[in-house]
Amino acid sequence: MAEISAKLVKELRDKTDAGIMECKNALKECNGNLEEAMEYLRKKGLSKAAKKADRIAADGVIAMMVSPDFKKATLVEVNSETDFVAKNEAFQELVAKVLDLAYKRALNSTESITELEIDGDTFGNYLNQKIATIGENIVIRRVCTVVCGENEILNGYLHHNKKVGAISVFKFKDSKNASAIAEFAKYISMHVASMKPKVLSYKDLDSTLVSKERVAIAAEIEKENEELARLKKPLLRIPEYVSRSEITYKILESKKAEMREALKAEGKPEKIWDKIIEGQIARFIADNTILDQRLTLLSQFYALDEKFTIEQMIAQKSSELKDSISIESFVSFELGEGLEKKVDNFADEVAAQMK
């Protein structure tokens, strides 16, 4: 069996957020293979990677600029080493200049920004001077500029703490609705910033991912049920499916047939079956699309009114404005996403528990 080092345990913990001993045992089971250990933890319901963002602690700010006509918007992330420096006036001036430069040049990459001119010098030199003055390393981590096409409009949302921002782009037909849709786009961007969807629709999910997540979600619920059983509380039902991509027309028709038989057995009047079944099918889909609700914007329940999904909210807005409205894309930045601060004495902590 391969030797399980503290460094390898730390790497697995960073990737999964599982406990130290859980990571150690997984690596032992998988003979030190990191990828296999990650999958082992997922199948056991022990991986907490989906919650990993909750403990990310990189500092700096997200900044956003939206044009007055809601046709162009830019998001930037600028990282600093400490939150103290992120509140520094010189740092904030730097962020404002980065945002202005990215917006005017419609930048979507940080690669060429250092060669651009600012205040009569290259941006690279300007940044180095700021780093020397402020006394911390500063990184222009990412930038995104969205420009609308024909019959499109956008808006964005930047949280007051400047740690998360989002932009949403909508397509529509009637120009008189532009202002109302721009306002709607702001609220959808607020939802995106809050709920953090990864893709627009279940159609954008990879089938391999769906298969893996079905196993992980089942393990996760089984783990929760162990605790619920201990507390003598009702157990959670493990869903048959986790994504709309798995629920075929044939499956839906089969479910409707089952529902009709149940209603017939209950003695419900046949004239009301269709209405009842419509609600039951909607519930069936909601109960069997957990992955979609976690990862896809259209399937998520609206943060400001959880009775409706985003898809339903867009349909309502289309009906209200007598227009054909659709969301074309979205982008969101969360400060420090994928980055972590150094954890002091973590190696000592791991080594102590490995003995």
Side-chain angles (χ1 to χ4, degrees):
M1 179 184 290
E3 181 181 351
I4 308 303
S5 67
K7 181 179 178 182
L8 191 60
V9 172
K10 179 184 183 301
E11 187 175 355
L12 180 58
R13 190 180 188 220
D14 286 345
K15 289 179 179 294
T16 64
D17 204 20
I20 291 173
M21 294 311 297
E22 290 166 346
C23 289
K24 179 184 176 185
N25 292 335
L27 286 163
K28 281 184 176 179
E29 288 290 331
C30 300
N31 200 31
N33 186 299
L34 188 65
E35 294 300 320
E36 289 181 10
M38 288 171 63
E39 191 62 24
Y40 174 89
L41 287 171
R42 289 177 61 75
K43 289 181 177 179
K44 292 290 184 180
L46 299 172
S47 174
K48 303 171 188 174
K51 301 176 183 177
K52 188 174 176 63
D54 292 341
R55 64 182 187 86
I56 288 173
D59 286 309
V61 297
I62 304 295
M64 181 179 71
M65 185 179 293
V66 178
S67 65
D69 64 356
F70 302 107
K71 288 289 188 178
K72 179 181 177 183
T74 296
L75 277 173
V76 299
E77 177 180 358
V78 184
N79 293 139
S80 61
E81 293 183 47
T82 65
D83 185 56
F84 178 77
V85 161
K87 297 173 182 176
N88 180 285
E89 188 176 328
F91 179 81
Q92 292 175 3
E93 178 189 340
L94 166 66
V95 172
K97 289 194 175 184
V98 170
L99 180 61
D100 184 64
L101 188 64
Y103 176 83
K104 287 179 177 175
R105 298 294 188 99
L107 299 181
N108 277 294
S109 167
T110 62
E111 294 176 2
S112 60
I113 194 169
T114 55
E115 300 303 318
L116 298 176
E117 187 174 309
I118 186 169
D119 291 352
D121 202 349
T122 65
F123 184 82
N125 288 338
Y126 169 80
L127 178 60
N128 288 333
Q129 289 170 10
K130 285 293 183 183
I131 291 172
T133 301
I134 293 171
E136 278 193 10
N137 187 32
I138 297 168
V139 177
I140 316 304
R141 189 180 178 218
R142 51 182 170 169
V143 56
C144 176
T145 300
V146 181
V147 180
C148 287
E150 188 177 359
N151 295 325
E152 290 182 348
I153 201 158
L154 59 73
N155 208 342
Y157 169 78
L158 181 66
H159 195 57
H160 64 83
N161 63 8
K162 298 183 179 178
K163 294 185 183 296
V164 60
I167 298 167
S168 300
V169 182
F170 281 81
K171 197 173 187 68
F172 63 107
K173 292 183 177 180
D174 195 335
S175 60
K176 76 174 187 298
N177 291 325
S179 178
I181 297 171
E183 181 70 8
F184 181 60
K186 178 181 178 180
Y187 286 105
I188 297 301
S189 296
M190 187 184 297
H191 170 96
V192 169
S194 172
M195 303 307 293
K196 305 175 181 60
K198 301 303 180 186
V199 294
L200 194 59
S201 164
Y202 70 86
K203 296 174 183 177
D204 302 316
L205 294 175
D206 180 75
S207 58
T208 303
L209 170 70
V210 173
S211 297
K212 286 185 176 182
E213 289 299 322
R214 189 191 317 111
V215 175
I217 287 170
E220 180 185 314
I221 295 174
E222 285 172 356
K223 200 73 179 175
E224 288 185 57
N225 280 341
E226 289 177 12
E227 180 63 12
L228 291 171
R230 187 183 70 80
L231 297 172
K232 295 181 169 53
K233 292 184 176 181
L235 302 185
L236 301 174
R237 186 183 66 80
I238 297 175
E240 298 175 66
Y241 312 100
V242 294
S243 173
R244 185 67 177 81
S245 61
E246 300 179 295
I247 305 173
T248 63
Y249 174 80
K250 185 177 180 180
I251 289 170
L252 287 177
E253 289 303 303
S254 175
K255 285 294 173 184
K256 287 178 183 178
E258 290 176 18
M259 292 169 186
R260 287 190 190 96
E261 287 302 314
L263 291 171
K264 183 179 180 180
E266 291 171 12
K268 299 284 187 185
E270 190 171 349
K271 63 181 180 181
I272 65 170
W273 287 5
D274 287 347
K275 188 169 183 62
I276 294 174
I277 289 172
E278 182 182 350
Q280 290 179 338
I281 283 293
R283 184 72 261 170
F284 170 79
I285 292 173
D287 289 343
N288 287 276
T289 53
I290 294 176
L291 183 63
D292 296 351
Q293 292 163 34
R294 290 180 180 181
L295 301 184
T296 76
L297 176 59
L298 290 174
S299 295
Q300 288 183 336
F301 286 92
Y302 185 36
L304 299 180
D305 188 345
E306 294 184 350
K307 296 191 297 292
F308 304 100
T309 64
I310 295 297
E311 186 171 24
Q312 289 169 333
M313 291 301 300
I314 293 171
Q316 283 185 22
K317 185 59 67 172
S318 293
S319 178
E320 175 191 324
L321 298 177
K322 296 180 174 57
D323 204 339
S324 178
I325 303 169
S326 61
I327 185 165
E328 296 297 292
S329 62
F330 68 88
V331 60
S332 64
F333 282 4
E334 183 176 7
L335 183 65
E337 191 174 12
L339 297 176
E340 294 204 37
K341 281 184 177 179
K342 178 182 176 182
V343 179
D344 293 334
N345 299 320
F346 184 86
D348 293 342
E349 177 192 351
V350 174
Q353 295 199 40
M354 293 271 297
K355 290 178 181 178

